[in-house]
Amino acid sequence: MSSFPVTRLRRLRRTSGIRNLVRETRLDLDDFVMPLFVGPEAFTNDDLPGLGRHSVESVVAEAEELTRLGVRAVILFGIPDEKDEEGSGAYDDDGVVQRTLRALDGGELVLLTDVCLCEYTSHGHCGVIRDGEVDNDETLELIARTAVSHVEAGADAVCPSDMMDGRVAAIREEVPDTPIIAYSAKYASAFYGPFREAAESAPAFGDRRGYQMDPANVREALRECDQDVAEGADVLMIKPALPYLDVIRAARERFDLPLAAYNVSGEYAMVKAAAAKGFLDERQAAVESLTAIKRAGADLVVSYWTKELASWL
Ligand code: PBG
């Protein structure tokens, strides 16, 4: 290998034309998924535009606008009229996500759905509570029912985010032909704060550390991925993204399945808040963050910036 002065790495950085030629990672809207929240009433969120709320009526116009801007895919989250102990709004054939799927049917967007009970349970946990704990095996049936009702209403792919053991297998048994994008390594993270406010899904007692992963672990994330592959997942997801780039890289190196990363609400909110204070430039920080997530090894990225990204690219 030659060294300085024969080698001068700055030669390839001299003009934007040359930098473009040798760039290793590019952002392409085809790889991005926009989250959409649908509930009883629509409202905008001025501080965090990507975390506003749609109604089943208003989401149709939003989907058309996203399509016009070049966005290819959305992931739907529902906030029901009423919550109960068993999260029955999640698997109600007339539930908010099911009605949204029917309303968006025939459009061009790829429709993904988040499959979980936390937005639908009165206690805010991702499964049913028995003896003060989230009961894994009883929850599985409800998660599978939720996925089936989404598929029947027109979901193109389902994304279980509850972190129960065995959920991918439980869904796979019921829906042989639908892609499962599994939130395989979902950490018990502080970065979900703004989402929980938008989706009204903060746990009423305790926390999610009994089912979501410990932020300290990476080998365990690979075990989670292994399980999901064995159970029939089609895509593995790591969540959050920026504080877990090493996990994305480790999963990329171990598995040949497509890999997704979820650039979560707190990652988005941090940059928005810093930009509002004038500490940094939002667009540059967002593009740099999303590029880093792709560089780490993600094939597809769920991000609240997807809509804004469409106008930036
Ligand atoms: C549902 C779910 C959550 C997120 C996605 N799906 C919240 C949670 O687990 O508490 C968080 C997404 C975000 O913060 O953007 N279980």
Side-chain angles (χ1 to χ4, degrees):
M1 219 218 282
S2 67
S3 58
F4 178 82
V6 175
T7 299
R8 287 181 183 269
L9 290 167
R10 288 183 54 190
R11 282 179 209 131
L12 292 177
R13 300 178 197 145
R14 285 184 64 200
T15 67
S16 70
I18 290 183
R19 291 194 294 272
N20 286 343
L21 279 175
V22 299
R23 182 157 301 122
E24 299 174 32
T25 309
R26 275 171 219 282
L27 300 184
D28 181 339
L29 220 44
D30 281 358
D31 303 332
F32 283 84
V33 181
M34 180 69 193
L36 292 178
F37 298 89
V38 189
E41 279 166 77
F43 52 79
T44 51
N45 182 333
D46 291 335
D47 295 328
L48 303 173
L51 284 140
R53 175 95 55 89
H54 297 280
S55 64
V56 176
E57 294 70 39
S58 76
V59 79
V60 176
E62 179 69 9
E64 281 166 9
E65 190 184 345
L66 289 170
T67 304
R68 193 161 33 73
L69 289 167
V71 173
R72 306 290 188 203
V74 294
I75 179 166
L76 301 174
F77 295 91
I79 298 96
D81 280 316
E82 277 171 45
K83 306 187 187 229
D84 59 32
E85 286 282 308
E86 317 284 305
S88 61
Y91 38 92
D92 178 352
D93 287 332
D94 212 24
V96 63
V97 167
Q98 291 80 354
R99 283 184 287 129
T100 302
L101 286 163
R102 283 187 222 108
L104 296 181
D105 189 39
E108 287 171 45
L109 290 172
V110 179
L111 303 175
L112 315 183
T113 60
D114 184 82
V115 175
C116 194
L117 300 187
C118 66
E119 294 105 270
Y120 304 90
T121 51
S122 43
H123 45 74
H125 279 288
C126 300
V128 290
I129 305 288
R130 298 286 178 255
D131 301 325
E133 260 192 72
V134 175
D135 188 286
N136 191 88
D137 298 12
E138 261 193 67
T139 300
L140 291 182
E141 192 224 332
L142 303 182
I143 291 292
R145 261 169 80 180
T146 303
V148 169
S149 76
H150 289 178
V151 171
E152 284 174 351
D156 293 304
V158 290
C159 313
S161 71
D162 53 294
M163 288 304 276
M164 298 302 120
D165 286 319
R167 76 256 163 87
V168 171
I171 295 171
R172 181 45 79 223
E173 203 179 317
E174 304 293 331
V175 295
D177 297 323
T178 305
I180 298 176
I181 301 175
Y183 286 75
S184 303
K186 175 172 174 179
Y187 287 87
S189 172
F191 292 96
Y192 306 151
F195 171 97
R196 289 185 188 165
E197 226 160 272
E200 294 168 13
S201 68
F205 64 90
D207 54 43
R208 302 207 205 290
R209 282 183 267 189
Y211 42 104
Q212 297 181 348
M213 279 189 57
D214 184 338
N217 295 352
V218 61
R219 295 194 304 269
E220 186 187 351
L222 299 175
R223 293 185 72 199
E224 283 283 3
C225 291
D226 264 328
Q227 291 288 313
D228 287 354
V229 174
E231 292 177 25
D234 301 282
V235 178
L236 304 172
M237 178 148 63
I238 311 298
K239 174 186 174 189
L242 281 182
Y244 297 87
L245 294 179
D246 60 322
V247 183
I248 295 173
R249 169 54 44 187
R252 168 76 298 149
E253 280 169 10
R254 175 90 70 97
F255 301 97
D256 289 329
L257 283 79
L259 189 63
Y262 200 135
N263 173 228
V264 302
S265 59
E267 300 173 52
Y268 174 72
M270 282 195 297
V271 173
K272 286 275 184 197
K277 282 233 168 207
F279 293 152
L280 46 74
D281 179 83
E282 181 190 353
R283 177 174 167 173
Q284 280 180 24
V287 168
E288 182 178 330
S289 300
L290 297 171
T291 302
I293 294 165
K294 295 228 68 181
R295 190 198 62 230
D299 298 299
L300 54 148
V301 181
V302 182
S303 176
Y304 301 94
W305 272 302
T306 300
K307 185 177 181 183
E308 285 148 296
L309 188 64
S311 59
W312 295 337
L313 290 182

